[in-house]
Amino acid sequence: MYPKELERALLNVQKPGRYVGGEALSVVKDKKDVEVRFAFCFPDIYEIGMSHLGIKILYGAFNQIPYFWCERVFAPWIDMEAEMTARGVPLYALESGDPVKDFDFIGFTLQYELSYTNILNMLKLAGIPLRSADRTELFNIVVAGGPCACNPEPLADFFDLFFLGDGEEVDLEVMELYRQCKKEGASKKEFLRRAAQIEGVYVPSLYEAAYNPDGTVKSYTPKEGAPATVRKSSVKDMDGAYFPDSFPVPMIEVVHDRVSVEVLRGCIRGCRFCQAGFLYRPFREKSIETIDRQCQALCASTGYDEISLSSLSTSDYSRLNDLLDQLHTWTEDQKISLSLPSLRVDNFSPELMARVNSVRKSGLTFAPEAGSQRLRDVINKNVTQEELMRTVTVAFQEGWTRIKLYFMIGLPTETMEDVQAILELGQAVVDAFYQCKDKPKGKAVEVSLSAAAFVPKPFTPFQWFGQDSMEVLQEKQRELKGKRPPRRVSVSYHGAQTSFLEAVFARGDRRLCAVLEKAAEYGLRMDGWDECFDYAKWLEAFAACGLDPAFYANRQRNFDEVFPWDHLDYGVTKEFLMEECKRAYAAQTTPNCREKCSGCGASCFKGGICVGGR
């Protein structure tokens, strides 16, 4: 039941539809039938959170259990936050309108590092103590999962436990344990000790961090029976894994306003900069029959007329053409369009595009990532300029006139010549258009080059690499923008300051908890939004805590250094990543998983296409 104060607040905010709930297919239960309540908190605004597939999967998985009730919570935008604060309205869940502080579990998804201040702000708005040590009862258990949980140390003081890896099964196991502990009258400490024995569960309070005199990590020592190494949870059978047949349909437009169906998990490619490609190994596919059934169920329940076939690299699905042919047996009649959000240069074809009827002739996007072939070999992109030229020529012949290319600057071993090669590649695409005899008549080509600053991430071959300094990154950005770009080519890039902060928290240890707490005191939040990001205030927070952010972001690390995440196991061995790092510096490529098993270690999970030993 929503309070009257909330109704008044909604009159003064830009998008009240973010805060009212009541969407079709949202799950409302009778509280007297519920034993465990879970507030699923997405630390960003409604439009972004409601586009996220993970929240839909877990929302359905939790709510299929009669005595569990999962509700959604999103970060209020600054106008709504001001109204809530002024009127004394605490952070609340959309389904019931109940305050978040009334829930057993308060769960966050860690999708990107710049959301960390939103997490603390949401806890503050809910009236819940920030630090785990200050929450002593078996209640308000604050948990998190998602890709950034692979290095949870910068958040360790605030969370009771983290879920590592796939969440569909381990999350429910922990909730069942909580239900049992609640019935037994067990303490929070006892619950956490028992939870730490479940594969995929990391309880940071059960590990003691020690540091060397130079500030690097010396060790993580488990206590109270916690395992020395915590291995991620991995779903072996994607056909048998839970997937929802419905989800709440938003009443306002969201970023990805369509049905998304996961077709595979993991990636075969091994791009050395890509954290997700290593975190989600092994590579596991769903069957055509399962994907088809899930697509039909979601279209029937939600009424959407577009399906996005989702994964890290959908065009690597082994039977993609057969899958699209099967979907076309009913989508064409029902006027439902299909989209592939992740196309690769080396498997783009007219035949594939003919099957994907939602790809308009207005634009195509590819990600060469680097301008020069040498640097593409360093990052193991395994895409040549010849393949890119062949692909864009095919696209021009098929009627496309707009091409967007994604790149990164600041990659390991990058030189100014590599940066200039980005512009040269853009010019080559323009030239390919005018050299194409079958190009669209009466139209001009548009080539957009977008460059993001590279961020070294845990569990990648580049985790030892120091990010370029702010000055160097800005110099490379000037090289891209300062010179007049080639005709018909536009250039854009992302801010170096936010990338620097991302690198700090991606590679940081639990001493950064103090910085986050100080940032929360300063009112920092919504750091992923330009209108809210305040770099000067962040530097003040680091200074107040006596920590140098460059120590985390820019420092090159030795192979024998202990990382803050070394006691967490995502299957891919540190030895393999080290060898890949050495191969990168030698500009040597590694074949993809279908061509040859490289023995990365992910075969320990006994799933997907892994055949190598560990």
Side-chain angles (χ1 to χ4, degrees):
M1 187 66 182
Y2 289 83
K4 285 291 183 185
E5 292 81 1
L6 178 59
E7 294 179 16
R8 299 186 185 97
L10 293 175
L11 297 173
N12 300 319
V13 299
Q14 186 179 18
K15 292 187 177 180
R18 293 168 169 166
Y19 311 108
V20 297
E23 305 97 327
L25 304 180
S26 57
V27 178
V28 177
K29 297 188 177 184
D30 191 327
K31 279 185 275 190
K32 73 176 187 307
D33 299 327
V34 174
E35 297 178 41
V36 180
R37 300 185 70 184
F38 192 106
F40 197 126
C41 301
F42 195 94
D44 211 317
I45 61 171
Y46 178 92
E47 292 95 314
I48 294 176
M50 284 296 289
S51 303
H52 185 243
L53 181 57
I55 192 172
K56 295 170 184 174
I57 293 173
L58 293 178
Y59 181 85
F62 295 170
N63 282 323
Q64 69 172 338
I65 309 297
Y67 46 82
F68 293 160
W69 188 13
C70 176
E71 301 185 49
R72 297 160 300 137
V73 184
F74 300 96
W77 185 242
I78 50 179
D79 57 351
M80 183 60 172
E81 181 186 334
E83 288 291 325
M84 291 169 66
T85 302
R87 299 175 184 278
V89 176
L91 190 68
Y92 60 92
L94 289 185
E95 277 74 8
S96 65
D98 289 345
V100 169
K101 65 184 177 187
D102 290 353
F103 285 72
D104 298 282
F105 282 92
I106 299 152
F108 290 88
T109 179
L110 307 179
Q111 293 298 311
Y112 58 109
E113 291 82 1
L114 294 182
S115 70
Y116 290 177
T117 50
N118 281 357
I119 292 170
L120 299 195
N121 193 49
M122 290 173 78
L123 290 174
K124 286 174 63 178
L125 291 172
I128 294 168
L130 298 186
R131 290 185 171 261
S132 171
D134 297 329
R135 302 187 299 267
T136 57
E137 302 300 317
L138 186 63
F139 192 61
N140 285 170
I141 306 298
V142 181
V143 303
C148 292
C150 73
N151 177 24
E153 292 305 293
L155 293 165
D157 291 346
F158 311 116
F159 282 84
D160 297 306
L161 62 84
F162 293 91
F163 298 112
L164 310 185
D166 300 333
E168 294 98 323
E169 297 166 357
V170 65
D171 292 26
L172 288 171
E173 190 174 351
V174 168
M175 290 171 70
E176 287 286 3
L177 173 63
Y178 175 87
R179 178 177 174 239
Q180 183 180 341
C181 287
K182 199 173 172 183
K183 288 180 177 178
E184 295 172 2
S187 66
K188 176 183 176 181
K189 285 187 176 181
E190 175 60 20
F191 163 70
L192 292 177
R193 278 195 294 266
R194 289 161 67 175
Q197 303 304 315
I198 299 173
E199 184 167 275
V201 175
Y202 173 53
V203 180
S205 61
L206 298 182
Y207 295 80
E208 198 73 46
Y211 302 92
N212 295 309
D214 64 357
T216 59
V217 173
K218 181 179 181 181
S219 63
Y220 279 89
T221 305
K223 55 187 181 181
E224 300 184 41
T229 303
V230 182
R231 178 182 285 186
K232 76 166 185 176
S233 172
S234 181
V235 171
K236 294 180 177 61
D237 176 19
M238 290 301 294
D239 283 338
Y242 175 83
F243 197 80
D245 55 15
S246 69
F247 57 79
V249 180
M251 291 186 288
I252 64 172
E253 185 176 357
V254 298
V255 176
H256 299 304
D257 212 4
R258 55 183 179 250
V259 162
S260 288
V261 173
E262 186 181 28
V263 299
L264 61 88
R265 195 168 293 181
C267 185
I268 62 172
R269 295 291 173 169
C271 299
R272 292 172 179 139
F273 59 86
C274 180
Q275 185 183 54
F278 293 99
L279 290 184
Y280 293 107
R281 290 190 178 196
F283 180 85
R284 295 149 287 165
E285 295 184 337
K286 291 180 183 176
S287 68
I288 289 176
E289 294 72 26
T290 297
I291 297 167
D292 184 55
R293 182 179 68 253
Q294 292 172 350
C295 287
Q296 291 200 51
L298 283 173
C299 287
S301 65
T302 64
Y304 277 111
D305 60 3
E306 181 181 353
I307 301 169
S308 174
L309 300 177
S310 175
S311 76
L312 292 176
S313 184
T314 301
S315 51
D316 283 327
Y317 185 76
S318 59
R319 298 177 60 199
L320 183 57
N321 286 339
D322 292 340
L323 170 62
L324 294 172
D325 287 343
Q326 173 59 35
L327 293 174
H328 278 160
T329 62
W330 58 275
T331 55
E332 288 184 342
D333 290 342
Q334 297 183 29
K335 294 184 169 47
I336 293 171
S337 61
L338 303 173
S339 66
L340 304 180
S342 48
L343 290 171
R344 279 184 60 90
V345 166
D346 52 358
N347 51 19
F348 175 91
S349 68
E351 294 77 23
L352 178 61
M353 289 300 94
R355 290 175 165 89
V356 186
N357 54 8
S358 71
V359 177
R360 310 302 179 194
K361 292 292 191 282
S362 55
L364 283 173
T365 300
F366 299 104
E369 309 293 359
S372 69
Q373 190 60 51
R374 182 199 70 81
L375 196 53
R376 284 194 293 275
D377 290 344
V378 167
I379 65 177
N380 206 45
K381 185 64 182 177
N382 286 324
V383 167
T384 66
Q385 181 158 333
E386 290 73 23
E387 286 172 325
L388 178 61
M389 292 303 107
R390 185 165 59 248
T391 293
V392 297
T393 298
V394 168
F396 297 146
Q397 291 170 344
E398 293 297 315
W400 278 276
T401 59
R402 292 171 56 195
I403 303 291
K404 186 167 188 175
L405 302 177
Y406 282 116
F407 298 90
M408 283 181 285
I409 55 173
L411 287 162
T413 78
E414 183 182 64
T415 65
M416 279 300 180
E417 288 73 24
D418 295 311
V419 176
Q420 292 162 3
I422 294 174
L423 296 173
E424 292 165 4
L425 191 57
Q427 179 64 62
V429 174
V430 172
D431 293 343
F433 177 81
Y434 289 110
Q435 292 165 8
C436 178
K437 294 179 180 179
D438 298 321
K439 64 179 179 291
K441 301 295 186 272
K443 293 185 178 180
V445 67
E446 295 178 35
V447 178
S448 302
L449 311 178
S450 176
F454 167 69
V455 178
K457 295 280 184 132
F459 295 101
T460 70
F462 292 153
Q463 61 184 349
W464 290 274
F465 182 73
Q467 187 184 48
D468 276 354
S469 69
M470 192 82 65
E471 293 73 25
V472 171
L473 282 175
Q474 289 172 341
E475 183 184 357
K476 291 177 177 179
Q477 290 174 339
R478 285 193 294 272
E479 182 70 21
L480 279 177
K481 288 287 280 187
K483 292 186 175 181
R484 180 187 292 272
R487 188 168 176 267
R488 313 304 307 176
V489 174
S490 61
V491 179
S492 62
Y493 56 80
H494 302 289
Q497 293 178 342
T498 52
S499 298
F500 172 67
L501 195 65
E502 188 180 342
V504 170
F505 286 103
R507 309 173 84 209
D509 53 52
R510 62 177 64 181
R511 289 173 296 189
L512 290 175
C513 292
V515 178
L516 281 171
E517 202 163 25
K518 184 62 68 175
E521 287 178 24
Y522 290 167
L524 294 173
R525 74 271 194 262
M526 295 291 178
D527 295 298
W529 298 82
D530 290 343
E531 50 265 69
C532 296
F533 183 66
D534 190 334
Y535 184 62
K537 273 272 192 259
W538 270 108
L539 294 183
E540 282 184 41
F542 282 105
C545 298
L547 290 174
D548 178 9
F551 174 81
Y552 297 104
N554 305 132
R555 181 173 56 85
Q556 193 82 13
R557 305 193 184 190
N558 298 322
F559 282 140
D560 59 356
E561 180 171 332
V562 176
F563 287 137
W565 52 89
D566 273 353
H567 57 304
L568 309 179
D569 180 6
Y570 274 75
V572 178
T573 66
K574 194 173 183 179
E575 292 73 24
F576 170 78
L577 296 174
M578 201 178 299
E579 287 304 310
E580 280 293 286
C581 182
K582 293 174 183 176
R583 290 176 67 82
Y585 282 110
Q588 295 175 349
T589 61
T590 298
N592 72 56
C593 299
R594 281 208 180 101
E595 294 172 335
K596 180 185 176 182
C597 177
S598 300
C600 72
S603 59
C604 66
F605 295 112
K606 313 292 185 190
I609 65 173
C610 286
V611 294
R614 183 170 187 186

